[in-house]
Every structure is written in structure tokens, then in C-alpha cells.
Amino acid sequence: MKFRSLIFANLFRKKLRLVLTIGSFAVALFLFSFLAVVRGAFNRGADIAGADRLVTINRVSIIQPLPLSYRDKILRIPGVKAVTHNNWFGGVYQEEKNFFPQFVIDTENQRQVMSELQVPDDQWQAFLKDREGAIVGARTAQRFGWKIGDRVPIKNVSYGTAATWEFNIDGIYHSDRPGGDETQFWFQWDYFEERVPQSFKGNVGWYVVKLDSPDYAVSVAKAIDDMAGNSSFETKTETESQFAAGWVKQFGNIQFLVVTIGSVVFFTLLLVTGNTMAISVRERINELAILKAIGFNDRAVLFFVLSESLTIALIGGLLGLGLAMLAVPALGNALNGLLPALVLSKAILVAGLGSAVIVGVASGLLPGIGAMRMRVVNALRRV
Amino acid sequence: MVRVDGNGTSQSLIQVRNLGKTYRRGGEDIHVLQELNLDVDKGDFVAFMGPSGSGKTTLLNLLGGLDVPTRGTVTVAGDEITHMSAGKLTAWRARHVGFIFQMYNLIPVLTAFQNVELPLLLTSLSKAERRKHVETALAVVGLGERMNHYPRQLSGGQEQRVAIARAIVADPTFLLCDEPTGDLDRKSADEIMELITRLVREYGKTVLMVTHDPVVARRADITLHLEKGVLVEAREPHSIAAEV
Ligand SMILES: Nc1ncnc2c1ncn2[C@@H]1O[C@H](COP(=O)(O)OP(=O)(O)OP(=O)(O)O)[C@@H](O)[C@H]1O
Ligand SMILES: [Mg+2]
């Protein structure tokens, strides 16, 4: 392109300004990626939830139990393929800060319902035979350096008198969906039933229902809640993604927070670069007038200004995204499984670069149109 | 043959008829040019003089298609430019006019070569052809050795020579110079005028030039004075200069 040298020469007119403007884009894009990654981590559950799964909890709250007797009733509803149930154990491994979710699972149906969480068959068989056995997600295993065969003490703090329960790591599960939850710790319902005080026996935390097809979601949810209607254990049944979204809301409106901060960041970036472009155009308005006198038309002048701001946006944007690509995995390691996996997805990169391009064009647009409309004779008279 | 009586033939390269320019300022009309006539042939070298504010720059801007008149017409090589659309006028300028201003108006971030190349970017010439033209133009102004220098590395006279090279590189129909030596010392001014005179005599360029300096004006074939909005021929064209 024959105008390249002109555009580049103008870019490097004020090197410090160029560096600072590119820096603003880089910082903004870095921040954007980071926010998007965090948002993604919290929303992951909702995003990758099985469309063909329902979660049934006690209408009052998830911490209220449901009777085990619902299992067979749910199974009889047309459209239901399988049902499994979980309890929240809420135990402590060494210290409170070592949090990870421990689920009591129904070994008969777990693998059929949660089919994306995969355990090698030999490990599963070993687990079934081991009353104190546990299956742990790969991330949590990695976090604490657990290997198969390790014995892990977890303190029961929720059911009856506090006591340490010992578990044997019999297997490690992986999720076959990218970004799937690999932090859970599972152990057997039978073992749980055996050890909890009488008052807790026969109570499950929640049910997970696998459907024949996502089309049954509405009718099955209604049938389950109707079945439990007017009992002392009324239920609330939602799709897994609704459930996950509700779960995230407990941490405050993270979505809102992230979107607000992100918008402020981009708006500030727009002001900063818009101002910079305006100054940059104003200080060479008579050079632009000379170009017009020579015969460059209004469109060419607009093009020069826009390609300048766009180049800055692209360089700064790519720089920020590149830094994020380096930083996010490092941060993920540092967080050590506290959050679900941090994933800098292609969609985030594309959205980030897209936003940078929009800000780049927008910041160049007003000064560019000003330069386009500027009349040569007036600009030259100002010399 | 240069005429200011409006009786030139349609053969004239530049024909100005009844040109008027009125500015409005603070609710008051300022008639800068009124019923101005001018005929210039190819190869003519015309100097415009007149007091500050008499409208010399205004006239050059109208001739160069940078501004539109309030009344009257400007016709160059058969094209009536006064009624062209802005877009067409821009293209016309690129094709027909070479501008040389008082302040050299080079782009400071471009080298001498790149500055001179600018008008050629608007043509369909190949890179190699552009290079040839730029080198020729810079050789004509005697700056063949300074191609890769930036404006700040050149003297005022040299900058102005680069501006002249830029004005002639695309071989325009005529050159418009607004006080080309206004910012230069006598010696540099003489060199610049030597160069512009050579462009007329050796290369047959048509030049219209505004100046305050009678010594500079003496170089031209004819000096026209802008008085009360019209042009008048100096009674004895070069007598003023002779007195200096
Ligand atoms: N855009 C404008 N609006 C109002 N008045 C203007 C405008 N441009 C020029 N004028 C007025 O028109 C008159 C002629 O200006 P012009 O610049 O053509 O004079 P000049 O002969 O070139 O003067 P100088 O020798 O100082 O360069 C001046 O009185 C000037 O103030
Ligand atoms: Mg003037």
C-alpha cells in the first residue's frame, strides 16, 4: 500500500505519545480479558450445563433435605431416563482455606447421569469395592498432590459431632468438556448413611435427573414439583443451567460487576484515545490542509486518521491479549483450584480485539471527520 | 500575453472573468475582489503585488481551486473550475496545480523524497516510475543529494526547494506561489527566484506569484497590482525595481 510510509511516519511523530496510547489499549485489553475470564469461570457451570439434566432441590433452600423416597417416584415420570442424588458434605481438609466441594454420590446412577465426568473402569470398580473409597477431580488431586492409593482425612463439620473421616483415593475423574468442573470429591452414599446420626439418615441433598431429551425439561420439572406439592418436602426443579446461574448469584451479581467494570474501562479508553487523536490531528491540521491542497480528497484524509487510530488499537489490543494469554494460565496455577478453571477462550480474544477495533475507529472518527470537513484556506490562514 | 481588461481570447490558458469575493464578518460585507479580470497564457510568469489585506492570497486560492468565488468564473485550459463539485475540484487540483507557500509546508515526518513523492501517490504511476520522477524533480532543484534528509535537517532555502520540487513533480498546468521568498534571507531568496525563473524559461512552466518584494517581482514578465479589488498593470513594469 503506497500510503503506508505516510501513515507510519505519522504514527511515530510523537514516540512517547504512541507508546502511552498503545499502552492504554494493552492495559485495557488485559483487564478486559481478565474480567471475561473470571466471569467465564463463574458462569462456566451455566454455560456447559447439560441441556438434558434437571436439578431438584428443596423449595425452601438447597440446604434443606429431600426424602430418598422421591427417587423412585421421579423415575416413573415419562421422559426421565435416570435419577441420581447427592449430599453436600462440606468437610474440611486440614484447613478451611483448602476448600473444594465434597459430594456424597449414589454409586448406582452417578456415571449414567453425570456422563461427562469420566472415571476409568478399573478405578471405578476399585471404588465400588472400597467402602471408604473416594473419586476426586483431576484439578483437586493436582492441587493437593494426591495420588491413587493415598489416604485422605476430611473433618466432618456438618453432620453430628465433629470427627475426621478417612478416605482412600481410588480414582481420578476428568471432564470431557473443556472447562468442566474437575474439583469435586465423591464418596459413597452407603458409607455416609452408615456414619451420620439417625436424624440425617434417608435424606438426600438434591436430585439430578437425566432426561430422554431436552424437550422434556418443562414437563418433567412440572411433574416433579407437582408430585412433591403439598408435602412437607416441596421441591423446586430447574434445568441444570438455571440452577448453576442461580448458584452464581449467591456470590453477588458478578455478571453485573464484570460488565460494569468492563464498560468503564472501555469508555475511559475511548476518552483517552479520542482525546489523543484529537490533539494529534489538531497539531498537524495545516499538514492535512497541505495534503488536501495537493489533491488528497476528504476520504483519503479520513482514511489516514482512521488507519492511524486503528493501527494503535490493533497493536495495543494484540499486546494486551498476548499478555493475558501469558498471565491467565499463570494466575490459574496460582489460584490453585480456588475458582473453577480459568479459560481464555477464543471468543474472549475475538470479543476483546473487536472491542479494541471499535474503540480505535470511534476515537479516530470525530477528529477524522473534523479533518475531512476542514477547509484548506482556513487551515492555511491559521499558520 | 497577460491582460487584465477582460478582452483576452478563449485561447488563454487561464481566463478570469468578473471574479468577485465577498467575506462577511460581523454582519458587514467585505468586498475583497470585485469584477476582476485576468488572462494568462502558457509560459507566462506573473507577479502580483499589493498591500497587506488587498486580497492577493484570496485571488491565488480562487485560481488554485482552494476556494470558491462569490461571483464570476475561472477557466483553466478549457475547464471552468468555479462550478465544480468539491470532489471534482480536488481531483482537478491534483492534476493541474502546483502550490508553493510561504511557510514551506513540508510534512516534517517525511523525508525530502517522500514529501516530493506525495502528489505522485495520487497517480497510477508504479513505484519505480515515481522514484524516477522524484529524483528528476529533486535534481532540477539541486537537491539530488538530500533525498533522505528530513525537513528539519535542511535550511529554509533548501526546504523551499523541496516544496518547489513537490509542486513540479506531477508536471502541473501551472504553479501558484504565495510569497515563496517571504521567509528567506536575500541570498536564499535569490536562489529560489533563480530556480523559479529557470522553471519558466527552460521548462516552459506557467507561474503566478504573490510577493511583497519588488526585487523578486522584477523576475516576472509582468507585475500586476491588486488595488481596490481589481488588477492593474504597473505603469512601467520594472521601473520600481530599477529604483531599488
Ligand atoms: N475567511 C475569511 N473571513 C473573513 N475575512 C477574510 C477571510 N479570509 C480573508 N479575509 C479578509 O480578506 C482580505 C484579504 O485577505 P488576503 O489574505 O487575501 O490578503 P493578502 O493580500 O494575501 O494579504 P497579505 O499580504 O497580508 O498576505 C483581508 O482583509 C482578510 O482579513
Ligand atoms: Mg497573503
Side-chain angles (χ1 to χ4, degrees):
Chain A
M1 221 257 300
K2 52 187 175 182
F3 299 125
R4 203 180 41 216
S5 58
L6 184 59
I7 293 164
F8 270 85
N10 275 323
L11 268 178
F12 288 102
R13 181 180 292 261
K14 294 257 164 83
K15 295 202 181 57
L16 180 63
R17 179 166 70 198
L18 176 71
V19 168
L20 291 178
T21 319
I22 287 181
S24 319
F25 268 97
V27 168
L29 266 287
F30 181 79
L31 205 57
F32 166 83
S33 319
F34 182 74
L35 288 170
V37 162
V38 169
R39 190 194 81 99
F42 276 99
N43 282 5
R44 181 82 31 69
D47 291 345
I48 66 168
D52 59 352
R53 279 201 297 251
L54 301 178
V55 177
T56 299
I57 63 172
N58 189 302
R59 179 153 223 103
V60 178
S61 112
I62 185 157
I63 50 175
Q64 305 297 318
L66 291 171
L68 185 59
S69 59
Y70 282 179
R71 183 180 61 177
D72 296 330
K73 293 184 184 160
I74 292 173
L75 207 47
R76 279 198 296 272
I77 295 170
V80 172
K81 190 184 211 169
V83 183
T84 192
H85 55 84
N86 294 119
N87 291 66
W88 179 260
F89 186 57
V92 176
Y93 173 63
Q94 292 171 341
E95 297 180 69
E96 294 268 358
K97 76 173 174 60
N98 291 340
F99 171 83
F100 55 94
Q102 300 119 26
F103 293 166
V104 180
I105 63 160
D106 152 29
T107 51
E108 257 173 75
N109 300 295
Q110 170 76 9
R111 289 170 97 198
Q112 199 191 349
V113 176
M114 310 302 290
S115 49
E116 78 277 16
L117 305 180
Q118 293 181 337
V119 189
D121 281 332
D122 55 330
Q123 294 177 12
W124 186 256
Q125 293 311 325
F127 168 64
L128 291 183
K129 288 194 205 98
D130 179 4
R131 209 163 185 70
E132 297 183 352
I135 300 280
V136 64
R139 271 173 70 81
T140 294
Q142 193 198 12
R143 179 177 170 198
F144 298 114
W146 292 339
K147 296 173 303 297
I148 290 174
D150 282 0
R151 199 156 168 82
V152 174
I154 293 182
K155 201 200 260 169
N156 162 25
V157 291
S158 312
Y159 301 92
T161 43
T164 297
W165 297 20
E166 300 260 345
F167 297 96
N168 304 313
I169 305 292
D170 288 329
I172 290 176
Y173 81 80
H174 290 266
S175 172
D176 67 0
R177 296 185 193 164
D181 183 0
E182 292 182 348
T183 64
Q184 302 167 18
F185 179 98
W186 305 338
F187 64 95
Q188 298 190 24
W189 165 255
D190 292 348
Y191 183 50
F192 178 74
E193 276 282 279
E194 187 183 296
R195 290 201 63 166
V196 292
Q198 189 58 41
S199 61
F200 293 101
K201 290 189 201 296
N203 288 337
V204 310
W206 63 89
Y207 288 97
V208 183
V209 180
K210 177 129 179 149
L211 302 170
D212 286 327
S213 114
D215 303 338
Y216 292 107
V218 176
S219 65
V220 171
K222 188 173 182 313
I224 294 172
D225 292 345
D226 286 351
M227 170 273 286
N230 295 323
S231 75
S232 42
F233 298 97
E234 290 193 26
T235 58
K236 180 164 113 187
T237 304
E238 296 173 307
T239 63
E240 194 172 52
S241 67
Q242 285 166 338
F243 176 76
W247 183 252
V248 170
K249 282 215 186 80
Q250 297 191 336
F251 300 98
N253 200 337
I254 289 185
Q255 172 87 6
F256 175 76
L257 205 66
V258 164
V259 169
T260 310
I261 298 175
S263 315
V264 169
V265 165
F266 274 107
F267 187 65
T268 311
L269 181 65
L270 182 63
L271 294 184
V272 168
T273 51
N275 186 41
T276 307
M277 284 311 294
I279 292 172
S280 152
V281 166
R282 198 175 324 125
E283 71 190 10
R284 62 184 142 111
I285 197 73
N286 53 351
E287 287 171 34
L288 291 169
I290 290 293
L291 288 181
K292 283 183 160 192
I294 287 174
F296 286 87
N297 60 26
D298 294 352
R299 246 177 311 137
V301 170
L302 179 66
F303 170 77
F304 290 148
V305 175
L306 282 186
S307 35
E308 211 175 308
S309 61
L310 200 57
T311 308
I312 291 174
L314 281 175
I315 295 174
L318 288 172
L319 200 67
L321 294 176
L323 285 177
M325 283 166 83
L326 294 179
V328 165
L331 185 78
N333 287 339
L335 278 177
N336 237 341
L338 266 180
L339 274 182
L342 298 180
V343 183
L344 186 53
S345 64
K346 223 189 220 147
I348 294 178
L349 295 177
V350 169
L353 206 57
S355 311
V357 165
I358 290 172
V359 171
V361 170
S363 63
L365 206 58
L366 274 185
I369 289 175
M372 205 172 131
R373 296 224 176 114
M374 162 266 291
R375 296 199 49 224
V376 179
V377 284
N378 296 339
L380 290 183
R381 230 169 247 287
R382 243 181 277 160
V383 179
Chain B
M1 194 28 199
V2 177
R3 307 184 68 127
V4 294
D5 56 8
N7 291 329
T9 67
S10 56
Q11 306 302 315
S12 314
L13 180 70
I14 301 172
Q15 262 188 317
V16 179
R17 290 289 174 269
N18 304 321
L19 195 67
K21 182 71 184 178
T22 304
Y23 290 114
R24 247 194 119 73
R25 201 164 39 191
E28 200 184 330
D29 283 349
I30 304 166
H31 303 285
V32 179
L33 303 178
Q34 302 187 60
E35 304 292 304
L36 184 145
N37 290 300
L38 176 66
D39 287 82
V40 176
D41 284 340
K42 187 171 161 16
D44 282 340
F45 183 6
V46 185
F48 297 114
M49 293 190 77
S52 185
S54 56
K56 305 180 296 297
T57 297
T58 303
L59 175 60
L60 280 203
N61 287 343
L62 291 173
L63 293 174
L66 288 177
D67 203 355
V68 284
T70 315
R71 289 170 306 279
T73 56
V74 174
T75 309
V76 177
D79 294 328
E80 215 233 77
I81 64 165
T82 27
H83 290 111
M84 280 184 186
S85 68
K88 261 187 134 171
L89 204 53
T90 305
W92 176 84
R93 281 202 303 273
R95 184 66 204 79
H96 292 284
V97 196
F99 288 99
I100 300 161
F101 300 99
Q102 175 178 358
M103 308 296 284
Y104 330 105
N105 292 305
L106 299 179
I107 311 279
V109 292
L110 298 181
T111 61
F113 181 95
Q114 291 170 324
N115 266 289
V116 174
E117 192 188 19
L118 284 173
L120 300 181
L121 297 180
L122 297 163
T123 66
S124 55
L125 294 179
S126 72
K127 198 173 165 147
E129 290 169 318
R130 293 204 301 268
R131 169 159 283 276
K132 229 182 76 201
H133 280 80
V134 172
E135 284 172 356
T136 308
L138 280 168
V140 167
V141 301
L143 284 178
E145 310 293 304
R146 301 283 188 139
M147 286 200 297
N148 297 318
H149 289 224
Y150 286 91
R152 70 186 133 75
Q153 300 169 318
L154 299 171
S155 71
Q158 288 170 330
E159 278 193 64
Q160 194 60 303
R161 282 194 271 160
V162 174
I164 292 173
R166 188 181 65 192
I168 60 174
V169 72
D171 193 23
T173 308
F174 64 111
L175 299 180
L176 294 176
C177 319
D178 197 347
E179 301 187 42
T181 60
D183 220 41
L184 299 176
D185 58 47
R186 171 60 53 205
K187 185 167 167 293
S188 308
D190 282 344
E191 285 167 10
I192 291 300
M193 287 321 299
E194 198 61 51
L195 176 57
I196 291 177
T197 312
R198 241 179 68 223
L199 292 177
V200 178
R201 306 289 172 244
E202 282 178 35
Y203 297 90
K205 299 286 174 207
T206 308
V207 176
L208 293 86
M209 172 181 73
V210 166
T211 183
H212 279 293
D213 184 346
V215 178
V216 166
R218 197 185 54 188
R219 302 268 188 172
D221 298 326
I222 186 169
T223 300
L224 301 176
H225 286 263
L226 200 48
E227 285 172 11
K228 300 194 181 77
V230 293
L231 287 169
V232 294
E233 226 169 307
R235 286 165 304 273
E236 290 164 70
H238 297 134
S239 59
I240 309 162
E243 285 160 21
V244 173

